[in-house]
Amino acid sequence: MRQNTEGLLTDYTYTQNRELSWLRFNRRVLEEAADETVPTLERLKFIAIFTSNLDEFFMVRVGSLLDLYALSPGSIDNKCGLGPREQLTAIYDTVPALIETKGQLYRQVSALLAEEGIQDLEYQDLTAQEKTFIGDYFQSVVLPILSPQIVGLHHPSPHLVSKALYVAALLRNKSGKKSLGFIPVPTSLPSLVLLPGTKGRFLRMETILRQWAPTLFGKYKVEETCIISATRNADLSFDNDKFEDNEEDFRLRMTKLLKQRANLSIVRLEVNQKPSRDMLELLEGLFPVENDQVYYDPTPLTMGYVYDLEKILSTELRQRLTYKPYTPRWPEDLDPNQSMIEQIRRKDRLLFFPYDSVDPFLRLLSEASERPDVASIKITIYRLASTSKIARTLCRAAENGKEVVVLMELRARFDEANNIAWSKMLEEAGCKVIYGIENFKCHSKLCLITLQDKSGTHYITQVGTGNYNEKTSALYTDLSVMTASPVIGADGAAFFRNMLTDNLEGDYQALLVAPNSLKNQICQRIDGQIAKGEEGYICIKANSVTERDVIDKLQQASQAGVHIEMIIRGICCLRPEVLLKTENIHITSIVGRYLEHARIYVFGRGEEAEYFIASADLMTRNLQRRVEIACPILDQEIQEQLRYILDTQLRDTAKASFLQASGAYLRKEPGKLAPLDSQAEFMKTSLHRPAPAPLPSEKPSLVQRLRCLFQGA
């Protein structure tokens, strides 16, 4: 127990810091690179995913904590009792070990790829013929577009673009004075160069530049070089005070904020090796970072080249070193030759991405854009693919005279520019584009098709857990329900009316909508299970859990004897199985081929059970600062399909870990049975065919759990 800023006692015995929890999640991503059952190039991709995840963590979370420390250094986190400075210290203490593990795995995976003829080379590793080829390539292709810069009295300090690569050089002039030079690695050129006549021997572009750096600074002598990359704070504020009073176009505001992002403070400086003292002093003097913010990482500082590497490999190598391609299936309970609208009118339908194809939903939109009895299509959009079939279908619907309303969220982090471009195209096609409610991101996934005929007004409503993005629907596991329910349809119509009038306090019969009611409704349903005591049951599948009030309510349910099973992929500030506090809460996390992204909430058992799918995680931002929707699942067959998903993942022993009371994770052991990979199982077994009866989930043994207590985070 500790006092919070209001002098009240807060119990931290069953909660943990969100940032450290996230770092543990990212370590489990990195651990996939150590899994020998994963194809070798996919193992390298997991290292790349870990790297890009950590980049975003510094941009957003570390950037936010630094801002918080500057504005309110005395603020206390309500899950761990630490202030922003203490949290930053804990992060800085944790990250170096992750980088060391990354380096070890990178070397292991690189050695395996080398056995296949795939080698990331240094210049000295090349044959004489290869050196000639690279020299010619540098002179003819690279040199003409280089812009080396010297830092001095007549040369301003360079502006380092966030996460761009630079060759930094320690220079000495004829009088012996030392200075720095920088060569930006061109982004207009390929990230790697494949050596001719080889299966996969290559040089990264920064390696080539570093070799020729001594020739690029004229009269200066290059004494030392290294690769550097700066990570900038990307936590944008949407404070209206930043804009002039006469600027009313929200799209223009967003465009200005994106330009501001490029100039925010540096929160991390990465260097590919420990430089000399002279060079380090010059670097630290040039860029305002603390010692704790400088990281030495001998592996590639950016790893987008891994995806370029995959493209240049032969078909035979690519097939052998990557996952076997999986083609999403058309659901067996939908007839591709019949009207989607009429099939949904007969029965609610569920799609489970990426195992099911997104084509049925695309077919539904396309049909709605052409049918004469469709009056309008209304949709919320958070992220779109860069070549979006969904957006183009909406444009076609507007051109066909349908009323098309698009609630476009321009503040979707790192997708702002793409959404701005699509919003312009949608408007030009005749769609009505609105940008949501000030200070509340619209993260809901709702599409409402309104039909009108002689018998009246009818609705087809689609509610999902993931974005309207065909690309991510093949990479993320998500759920999409399509229903002709008049109650849910009426709620959908009310939702869009409320969004058009900035009304966050609307009443809904079936949908649970944040920020007005979703959190309260979840807590009420937990209370309903608390009243049942040991007969109560809760099962939650989500990405993250951070909201303190919900955590406390789940802890109360555990103390009342309610059996609680949770499948939480990432951040989890709730620590389960704490004696006398959360011993009835069991938390599983799955990291595998696909990013687990679906949200399912179940309260109760059997016929009394309530099922929901939702766009929202149990995070403060989702429940209090975003517009989110949870949709009840009333169709018994779809409830059984959701139960099958949950039961299968709770039995996973291949990619699942148990969260321990200590905050550490313990990999599940298959015991006497063969390891079960839930994602592989979903690829083999369709939801839309009868599934085998689930086996009971296995719990970790006492010995396993005690062992984990001493293994640290």
Side-chain angles (χ1 to χ4, degrees):
M1 295 278 192
R2 282 180 59 177
Q3 282 191 340
N4 60 22
T5 53
E6 299 174 349
L8 302 175
L9 288 177
T10 302
D11 189 347
Y12 301 118
T13 60
Y14 55 88
T15 54
Q16 63 176 330
N17 177 255
R18 67 167 283 171
E19 320 306 347
L20 298 183
S21 177
W22 184 91
L23 288 172
R24 291 181 180 119
F25 153 70
N26 204 31
R27 186 174 66 181
R28 284 180 286 119
V29 172
L30 188 58
E31 287 171 357
E32 287 298 294
D35 188 337
E36 295 179 359
T37 67
V38 175
T40 310
L41 190 57
E42 301 292 351
R43 292 169 68 177
L44 188 63
K45 286 184 191 176
F46 275 111
I47 298 174
I49 294 168
F50 164 86
T51 301
S52 61
N53 283 350
L54 195 60
D55 292 343
E56 185 170 337
F57 176 76
F58 270 89
M59 290 178 191
V60 179
R61 296 306 309 168
V62 173
S64 298
L65 282 171
L66 286 166
D67 289 345
L68 183 62
Y69 179 60
L71 295 171
S72 181
S75 60
I76 298 297
D77 176 69
N78 67 358
K79 269 83 68 179
C80 64
L82 301 179
R85 181 74 257 180
E86 294 170 295
Q87 294 179 68
L88 286 166
T89 298
I91 291 168
Y92 297 151
D93 288 344
T94 303
V95 169
L98 292 174
I99 293 174
E100 183 177 352
T101 302
K102 170 193 170 186
Q104 293 170 354
L105 290 171
Y106 179 81
R107 290 189 291 273
Q108 291 175 18
V109 174
S110 295
L112 293 172
L113 289 172
E115 294 176 6
E116 302 284 352
I118 301 171
Q119 293 176 281
D120 181 0
L121 301 168
E122 296 294 333
Y123 182 78
Q124 60 267 26
D125 300 325
L126 306 183
T127 66
Q129 187 177 5
E130 289 170 341
K131 288 179 179 179
T132 299
F133 169 79
I134 290 295
D136 291 343
Y137 183 85
F138 174 78
Q139 294 293 332
S140 61
V141 178
V142 181
L143 182 60
I145 64 171
L146 292 184
S147 303
Q149 179 182 346
I150 298 169
V151 179
L153 291 176
H154 303 290
H155 303 279
S157 300
H159 173 78
L160 301 189
V161 176
S162 186
K163 282 307 299 176
L165 295 178
Y166 297 82
V167 176
L170 179 63
L171 308 177
R172 185 190 296 271
N173 63 16
K174 291 181 179 179
S175 63
K177 184 179 179 182
K178 294 182 178 180
S179 59
L180 288 175
F182 294 92
I183 310 168
V185 177
T187 56
S188 58
L189 294 179
S191 61
L192 56 85
V193 176
L194 180 68
L195 295 170
T198 69
K199 293 192 295 183
R201 287 165 56 85
F202 67 92
L203 272 75
R204 285 177 281 120
M205 184 56 63
E206 59 266 33
T207 304
I208 297 173
L209 285 189
R210 194 175 181 189
Q211 174 62 30
W212 269 271
T215 69
L216 298 175
F217 292 98
K219 61 184 179 180
Y220 289 88
K221 180 183 178 182
V222 175
E223 295 195 338
E224 180 183 351
T225 62
C226 61
I227 311 298
I228 68 169
S229 178
T231 307
R232 292 186 177 275
N233 187 346
D235 184 38
L236 292 177
S237 169
F238 299 93
D239 187 349
N240 281 333
D241 292 339
K242 290 186 177 182
F243 304 99
E244 298 176 9
D245 292 340
N246 61 352
E247 292 178 346
E248 298 178 354
D249 189 337
F250 187 62
R251 193 159 57 206
L252 177 61
R253 296 183 179 189
M254 283 304 309
T255 302
K256 288 194 170 187
L257 278 174
L258 290 180
K259 293 179 180 178
Q260 289 182 15
R261 173 181 284 166
N263 297 305
L264 294 179
S265 62
I266 294 174
V267 297
R268 176 181 59 164
L269 182 67
E270 295 174 282
V271 188
N272 77 322
Q273 65 185 47
K274 190 72 177 282
S276 66
R277 179 180 296 180
D278 288 344
M279 190 169 191
L280 183 59
E281 287 179 355
L282 287 172
L283 284 170
E284 291 181 339
L286 195 59
F287 305 113
V289 291
E290 300 176 8
N291 290 336
D292 286 342
Q293 295 173 290
V294 181
Y295 295 92
Y296 305 107
D297 186 351
T299 62
L301 302 184
T302 62
M303 296 191 65
Y305 77 91
V306 174
Y307 304 96
D308 295 331
L309 174 63
E310 181 181 8
K311 295 173 185 175
I312 64 176
L313 295 180
S314 68
T315 301
E316 184 272 332
L317 259 183
R318 187 164 53 248
Q319 289 177 345
R320 189 147 46 85
L321 299 176
T322 59
Y323 288 122
K324 183 180 179 180
Y326 175 75
T327 302
R329 54 188 165 241
W330 181 279
E332 292 85 351
D333 59 350
L334 283 171
D335 187 338
N337 299 313
Q338 291 187 25
S339 159
M340 282 296 303
I341 288 176
E342 298 309 320
Q343 290 184 82
I344 295 167
R345 278 177 160 173
R346 292 196 292 270
K347 184 185 180 303
D348 293 355
R349 310 290 175 163
L350 180 72
L351 300 177
F352 185 22
F353 307 132
Y355 315 105
D356 291 336
S357 171
V358 73
D359 287 346
F361 175 68
L362 296 176
R363 187 82 61 89
L364 170 65
L365 271 187
S366 181
E367 182 183 342
S369 73
E370 303 288 345
R371 275 181 64 133
D373 57 343
V374 169
S376 68
I377 303 173
K378 300 177 182 179
I379 190 169
T380 62
I381 290 179
Y382 194 73
R383 299 187 195 276
L384 283 171
S386 56
T387 56
S388 174
K389 294 179 182 178
I390 291 172
R392 296 188 186 281
T393 302
L394 294 172
C395 291
R396 189 170 77 249
E399 291 164 355
N400 288 341
K402 313 298 181 188
E403 180 193 21
V404 179
V405 176
V406 179
L407 200 170
M408 174 75 77
E409 182 50 76
L410 296 186
R411 295 163 291 187
R413 185 176 281 121
F414 304 125
D415 268 358
E416 299 95 342
N418 186 51
N419 285 3
I420 288 170
W422 274 118
S423 70
K424 293 177 181 177
M425 183 176 293
L426 288 162
E427 281 186 345
E428 289 170 0
C431 303
K432 181 175 183 178
V433 181
I434 60 175
Y435 303 122
I437 296 177
E438 188 176 3
N439 298 325
F440 291 87
K441 283 186 181 181
C442 184
H443 191 250
S444 56
K445 325 296 181 187
L446 177 69
C447 178
L448 179 71
I449 298 168
T450 303
L451 303 94
Q452 291 182 326
D453 56 27
K454 293 180 180 179
S455 63
T457 299
H458 313 279
Y459 300 107
I460 298 292
T461 312
Q462 180 273 338
V463 184
T465 67
N467 298 304
Y468 295 106
N469 185 322
E470 302 96 309
K471 181 178 179 180
T472 57
S473 71
L475 302 172
Y476 297 1
T477 73
D478 269 308
L479 295 161
S480 171
V481 67
M482 299 173 288
T483 178
S485 163
V487 175
I488 291 176
D491 275 359
F495 173 83
F496 281 103
R497 287 196 301 272
N498 289 331
M499 292 301 100
L500 285 163
T501 57
D502 290 352
N503 179 18
L504 290 173
E505 299 179 357
D507 292 325
Y508 304 93
Q509 296 182 67
L511 298 179
L512 311 183
V513 182
N516 186 45
S517 64
L518 179 54
K519 176 182 168 181
N520 290 338
Q521 291 287 340
I522 288 174
C523 289
Q524 286 179 22
R525 282 164 172 79
I526 297 174
D527 280 333
Q529 298 307 305
I530 290 174
K532 298 179 182 180
E534 295 183 359
E535 298 300 315
Y537 176 76
I538 297 169
C539 188
I540 294 172
K541 174 176 168 58
N543 300 317
S544 301
V545 179
T546 69
E547 169 53 37
R548 180 77 210 210
D549 290 342
V550 175
I551 289 172
D552 289 342
K553 187 63 69 173
L554 289 168
Q555 185 267 335
Q556 293 170 24
S558 175
Q559 287 189 315
V562 177
H563 181 54
I564 302 170
E565 296 179 301
M566 303 178 74
I567 305 168
I568 309 299
R569 183 196 78 220
I571 301 166
C572 188
C573 293
L574 169 61
R575 291 196 286 124
E577 304 182 16
V578 175
L579 188 63
L580 301 179
K581 297 290 179 67
T582 58
E583 65 265 40
N584 290 312
I585 300 177
H586 309 286
I587 300 178
T588 293
S589 177
I590 295 174
V591 176
R593 173 175 178 172
Y594 300 118
L595 181 78
E596 292 293 334
H597 195 253
R599 293 95 166 187
I600 305 172
Y601 298 91
V602 182
F603 304 95
R605 299 182 190 271
E607 295 181 357
E608 296 182 353
E610 291 185 278
Y611 285 78
F612 296 85
I613 67 168
S615 61
D617 292 311
L618 296 178
M619 301 182 75
T620 302
R621 70 182 187 188
N622 295 101
L623 300 178
Q624 298 186 29
R625 298 194 297 273
R626 287 186 175 184
V627 178
E628 305 270 13
I629 289 177
C631 177
I633 302 300
L634 306 176
D635 183 279
Q636 184 176 350
E637 185 175 331
I638 295 180
Q639 289 183 0
E640 292 171 356
Q641 291 170 345
L642 296 181
R643 188 68 256 174
Y644 171 66
I645 293 171
L646 297 171
D647 287 341
T648 303
Q649 295 216 307
L650 289 168
R651 292 188 294 119
D652 192 306
T653 52
K655 298 297 181 182
S657 301
F658 285 114
L659 179 58
Q660 305 296 293
S662 65
Y665 285 87
L666 178 65
R667 289 299 288 258
K668 288 189 178 182
E669 296 179 5
K672 298 179 181 179
L673 303 175
L676 183 136
D677 182 334
S678 59
Q679 294 187 351
E681 192 73 10
F682 296 140
M683 285 189 271
K684 292 187 298 184
T685 306
S686 172
L687 289 182
H688 312 283
R689 292 197 298 259
L695 297 173
S697 59
E698 296 185 22
K699 301 279 190 301
S701 68
L702 179 60
V703 172
Q704 285 180 294
R705 289 156 64 180
L706 289 174
R707 185 190 308 144
C708 187
L709 291 174
F710 297 99
Q711 73 177 25

